[in-house]
Amino acid sequence: MRIFAISIVLASALTLTGCSHPSRIKQLGTGDQVQLTSERETDNRMSDWNLTSSDAELYIGDLGAEQLYASAYASNQIKSLAAENKKQALLPNGFPLIQAFPSPGIVPKKGGYVENVIETAKSYLGTPYVYGSDRLDPQSFDCSDFTRWVYLTALGMDLPWDAKNQAAYVEALSKRKYTDLKQAKRGDLLFFTNFMGNRPSDYANLDPSQKPISHMGIYLGDGKIIHSASKKTGGVRIDHMFFKHLQYRFVLGGSVLD
């Protein structure tokens, strides 16, 4: 009788809290369950003010990182080549704006290239963060090195080498770009300004000149992003964005596949 009474109490509690309905995971197929599990938020470090407030790498992002690997000689040489063609558009760093496409021999997974990108991105979870990381070595990443390497290895698409220039690429060439985070779709590139705090008011009333793009990541859907933010937050990780500083910092998003 005691067990029966306990069962009734538990059933009543579940009904009152709305848990009597099947959970989202139970409603999904086996493959989707695995996907949900593997795309859960890594931990709460990106929301921990005690950590983020003293994390210098969050404040700077990848601003200036391109200066570490683009020599003056290479930059000037490419600028000269581009100048020969007056119709050639240039990225902010002076490199030619050249659209990249998936390599013809790559087979889309689950019916779309987006899943090639997501699977590759998740394979690098936990990879250490290094500001200005070596663009030819996947042993470490900063935010833009991570996104570039994912698209390069997943689809053979060679995107620009830093967040500011990848944003310019999306602005110029994407058929689907937006400034409302709610329009984001799985596999999109998302761009953010400098970290300045955890509150919406920290980013309110800023004009565009006060919101340089310094961070980026890949949208997973369901309000989550995979990105590489800093050493203290653990390198490549998954985070929820809404009602957190990533939402308040959002500047631009778009697809490089549509």
Side-chain angles (χ1 to χ4, degrees), residues 10-24 26-27:
L10 288 174
S12 300
L14 289 172
T15 301
L16 289 172
T17 57
C19 295
S20 59
H21 299 288
S23 69
R24 182 182 176 193
K26 288 183 179 179
Q27 294 175 18

PDB file of all heavy atoms in Angstrom, residues 10-24 26-27:
ATOM      1  N   LEU A  10       3.796  10.605  -6.956  1.00  0.00           N
ATOM      2  CA  LEU A  10       4.743  10.922  -8.027  1.00  0.00           C
ATOM      3  C   LEU A  10       4.017  11.222  -9.322  1.00  0.00           C
ATOM      4  O   LEU A  10       4.356  12.154 -10.047  1.00  0.00           O
ATOM      5  CB  LEU A  10       5.725   9.760  -8.232  1.00  0.00           C
ATOM      6  CG  LEU A  10       6.775   9.576  -7.149  1.00  0.00           C
ATOM      7  CD1 LEU A  10       7.585   8.309  -7.414  1.00  0.00           C
ATOM      8  CD2 LEU A  10       7.701  10.779  -7.088  1.00  0.00           C
ATOM      9  N   ALA A  11       2.993  10.410  -9.643  1.00  0.00           N
ATOM     10  CA  ALA A  11       2.225  10.618 -10.866  1.00  0.00           C
ATOM     11  C   ALA A  11       1.542  11.974 -10.843  1.00  0.00           C
ATOM     12  O   ALA A  11       1.510  12.698 -11.843  1.00  0.00           O
ATOM     13  CB  ALA A  11       1.190   9.500 -11.030  1.00  0.00           C
ATOM     14  N   SER A  12       1.003  12.361  -9.680  1.00  0.00           N
ATOM     15  CA  SER A  12       0.335  13.648  -9.544  1.00  0.00           C
ATOM     16  C   SER A  12       1.322  14.798  -9.737  1.00  0.00           C
ATOM     17  O   SER A  12       1.037  15.795 -10.393  1.00  0.00           O
ATOM     18  CB  SER A  12      -0.329  13.764  -8.166  1.00  0.00           C
ATOM     19  OG  SER A  12      -1.285  12.739  -7.995  1.00  0.00           O
ATOM     20  N   ALA A  13       2.505  14.645  -9.151  1.00  0.00           N
ATOM     21  CA  ALA A  13       3.531  15.694  -9.266  1.00  0.00           C
ATOM     22  C   ALA A  13       3.963  15.882 -10.702  1.00  0.00           C
ATOM     23  O   ALA A  13       4.139  16.996 -11.187  1.00  0.00           O
ATOM     24  CB  ALA A  13       4.738  15.343  -8.386  1.00  0.00           C
ATOM     25  N   LEU A  14       4.145  14.782 -11.430  1.00  0.00           N
ATOM     26  CA  LEU A  14       4.554  14.860 -12.828  1.00  0.00           C
ATOM     27  C   LEU A  14       3.488  15.545 -13.663  1.00  0.00           C
ATOM     28  O   LEU A  14       3.783  16.321 -14.577  1.00  0.00           O
ATOM     29  CB  LEU A  14       4.846  13.452 -13.372  1.00  0.00           C
ATOM     30  CG  LEU A  14       6.098  12.776 -12.835  1.00  0.00           C
ATOM     31  CD1 LEU A  14       6.157  11.320 -13.311  1.00  0.00           C
ATOM     32  CD2 LEU A  14       7.346  13.526 -13.276  1.00  0.00           C
ATOM     33  N   THR A  15       2.226  15.242 -13.370  1.00  0.00           N
ATOM     34  CA  THR A  15       1.137  15.856 -14.117  1.00  0.00           C
ATOM     35  C   THR A  15       1.106  17.355 -13.884  1.00  0.00           C
ATOM     36  O   THR A  15       0.944  18.152 -14.805  1.00  0.00           O
ATOM     37  CB  THR A  15      -0.220  15.239 -13.692  1.00  0.00           C
ATOM     38  OG1 THR A  15      -0.183  13.840 -13.945  1.00  0.00           O
ATOM     39  CG2 THR A  15      -1.364  15.877 -14.479  1.00  0.00           C
ATOM     40  N   LEU A  16       1.289  17.780 -12.638  1.00  0.00           N
ATOM     41  CA  LEU A  16       1.251  19.198 -12.304  1.00  0.00           C
ATOM     42  C   LEU A  16       2.385  19.968 -12.948  1.00  0.00           C
ATOM     43  O   LEU A  16       2.249  21.132 -13.297  1.00  0.00           O
ATOM     44  CB  LEU A  16       1.299  19.383 -10.773  1.00  0.00           C
ATOM     45  CG  LEU A  16       0.026  18.968 -10.015  1.00  0.00           C
ATOM     46  CD1 LEU A  16       0.286  19.012  -8.520  1.00  0.00           C
ATOM     47  CD2 LEU A  16      -1.141  19.875 -10.388  1.00  0.00           C
ATOM     48  N   THR A  17       3.533  19.344 -13.097  1.00  0.00           N
ATOM     49  CA  THR A  17       4.695  20.034 -13.672  1.00  0.00           C
ATOM     50  C   THR A  17       4.758  19.894 -15.179  1.00  0.00           C
ATOM     51  O   THR A  17       5.679  20.378 -15.815  1.00  0.00           O
ATOM     52  CB  THR A  17       6.004  19.467 -13.080  1.00  0.00           C
ATOM     53  OG1 THR A  17       6.057  18.068 -13.318  1.00  0.00           O
ATOM     54  CG2 THR A  17       6.076  19.734 -11.597  1.00  0.00           C
ATOM     55  N   GLY A  18       3.796  19.199 -15.786  1.00  0.00           N
ATOM     56  CA  GLY A  18       3.807  19.050 -17.231  1.00  0.00           C
ATOM     57  C   GLY A  18       4.668  17.919 -17.703  1.00  0.00           C
ATOM     58  O   GLY A  18       4.877  17.756 -18.896  1.00  0.00           O
ATOM     59  N   CYS A  19       5.220  17.101 -16.818  1.00  0.00           N
ATOM     60  CA  CYS A  19       6.141  16.043 -17.203  1.00  0.00           C
ATOM     61  C   CYS A  19       5.422  14.743 -17.527  1.00  0.00           C
ATOM     62  O   CYS A  19       6.071  13.729 -17.775  1.00  0.00           O
ATOM     63  CB  CYS A  19       7.156  15.794 -16.082  1.00  0.00           C
ATOM     64  SG  CYS A  19       8.239  17.205 -15.811  1.00  0.00           S
ATOM     65  N   SER A  20       4.103  14.766 -17.485  1.00  0.00           N
ATOM     66  CA  SER A  20       3.378  13.546 -17.822  1.00  0.00           C
ATOM     67  C   SER A  20       3.393  13.298 -19.318  1.00  0.00           C
ATOM     68  O   SER A  20       3.130  12.210 -19.780  1.00  0.00           O
ATOM     69  CB  SER A  20       1.929  13.639 -17.333  1.00  0.00           C
ATOM     70  OG  SER A  20       1.277  14.758 -17.915  1.00  0.00           O
ATOM     71  N   HIS A  21       3.711  14.354 -20.103  1.00  0.00           N
ATOM     72  CA  HIS A  21       3.796  14.195 -21.548  1.00  0.00           C
ATOM     73  C   HIS A  21       5.135  13.581 -21.919  1.00  0.00           C
ATOM     74  O   HIS A  21       6.132  13.792 -21.222  1.00  0.00           O
ATOM     75  CB  HIS A  21       3.652  15.563 -22.233  1.00  0.00           C
ATOM     76  CG  HIS A  21       2.345  16.225 -21.939  1.00  0.00           C
ATOM     77  ND1 HIS A  21       1.160  15.794 -22.462  1.00  0.00           N
ATOM     78  CD2 HIS A  21       2.049  17.286 -21.145  1.00  0.00           C
ATOM     79  CE1 HIS A  21       0.164  16.563 -22.021  1.00  0.00           C
ATOM     80  NE2 HIS A  21       0.693  17.464 -21.218  1.00  0.00           N
ATOM     81  N   PRO A  22       5.206  12.837 -23.026  1.00  0.00           N
ATOM     82  CA  PRO A  22       6.492  12.247 -23.437  1.00  0.00           C
ATOM     83  C   PRO A  22       7.531  13.328 -23.624  1.00  0.00           C
ATOM     84  O   PRO A  22       7.238  14.404 -24.132  1.00  0.00           O
ATOM     85  CB  PRO A  22       6.139  11.564 -24.771  1.00  0.00           C
ATOM     86  CG  PRO A  22       4.661  11.356 -24.720  1.00  0.00           C
ATOM     87  CD  PRO A  22       4.111  12.506 -23.938  1.00  0.00           C
ATOM     88  N   SER A  23       8.759  13.063 -23.187  1.00  0.00           N
ATOM     89  CA  SER A  23       9.828  14.044 -23.351  1.00  0.00           C
ATOM     90  C   SER A  23      10.180  14.191 -24.812  1.00  0.00           C
ATOM     91  O   SER A  23       9.851  13.344 -25.636  1.00  0.00           O
ATOM     92  CB  SER A  23      11.083  13.596 -22.581  1.00  0.00           C
ATOM     93  OG  SER A  23      11.647  12.467 -23.208  1.00  0.00           O
ATOM     94  N   ARG A  24      10.880  15.297 -25.126  1.00  0.00           N
ATOM     95  CA  ARG A  24      11.271  15.525 -26.505  1.00  0.00           C
ATOM     96  C   ARG A  24      12.153  14.396 -27.018  1.00  0.00           C
ATOM     97  O   ARG A  24      12.034  13.965 -28.155  1.00  0.00           O
ATOM     98  CB  ARG A  24      12.014  16.856 -26.603  1.00  0.00           C
ATOM     99  CG  ARG A  24      12.417  17.195 -28.025  1.00  0.00           C
ATOM    100  CD  ARG A  24      13.188  18.492 -28.095  1.00  0.00           C
ATOM    101  NE  ARG A  24      13.621  18.730 -29.455  1.00  0.00           N
ATOM    102  CZ  ARG A  24      14.511  19.649 -29.790  1.00  0.00           C
ATOM    103  NH1 ARG A  24      15.028  20.414 -28.874  1.00  0.00           N
ATOM    104  NH2 ARG A  24      14.870  19.811 -31.041  1.00  0.00           N
ATOM    105  N   LYS A  26      12.172  11.248 -26.115  1.00  0.00           N
ATOM    106  CA  LYS A  26      11.399  10.037 -26.365  1.00  0.00           C
ATOM    107  C   LYS A  26      10.602  10.133 -27.666  1.00  0.00           C
ATOM    108  O   LYS A  26      10.263   9.129 -28.274  1.00  0.00           O
ATOM    109  CB  LYS A  26      10.449   9.766 -25.192  1.00  0.00           C
ATOM    110  CG  LYS A  26      11.152   9.283 -23.929  1.00  0.00           C
ATOM    111  CD  LYS A  26      10.164   8.962 -22.828  1.00  0.00           C
ATOM    112  CE  LYS A  26      10.878   8.458 -21.582  1.00  0.00           C
ATOM    113  NZ  LYS A  26       9.922   8.170 -20.491  1.00  0.00           N
ATOM    114  N   GLN A  27      10.279  11.361 -28.092  1.00  0.00           N
ATOM    115  CA  GLN A  27       9.511  11.541 -29.309  1.00  0.00           C
ATOM    116  C   GLN A  27      10.374  11.443 -30.557  1.00  0.00           C
ATOM    117  O   GLN A  27       9.872  11.363 -31.657  1.00  0.00           O
ATOM    118  CB  GLN A  27       8.808  12.897 -29.282  1.00  0.00           C
ATOM    119  CG  GLN A  27       7.730  13.007 -28.208  1.00  0.00           C
ATOM    120  CD  GLN A  27       7.149  14.397 -28.156  1.00  0.00           C
ATOM    121  OE1 GLN A  27       7.280  15.168 -29.087  1.00  0.00           O
ATOM    122  NE2 GLN A  27       6.512  14.723 -27.052  1.00  0.00           N
TER     123      GLN A  27
END
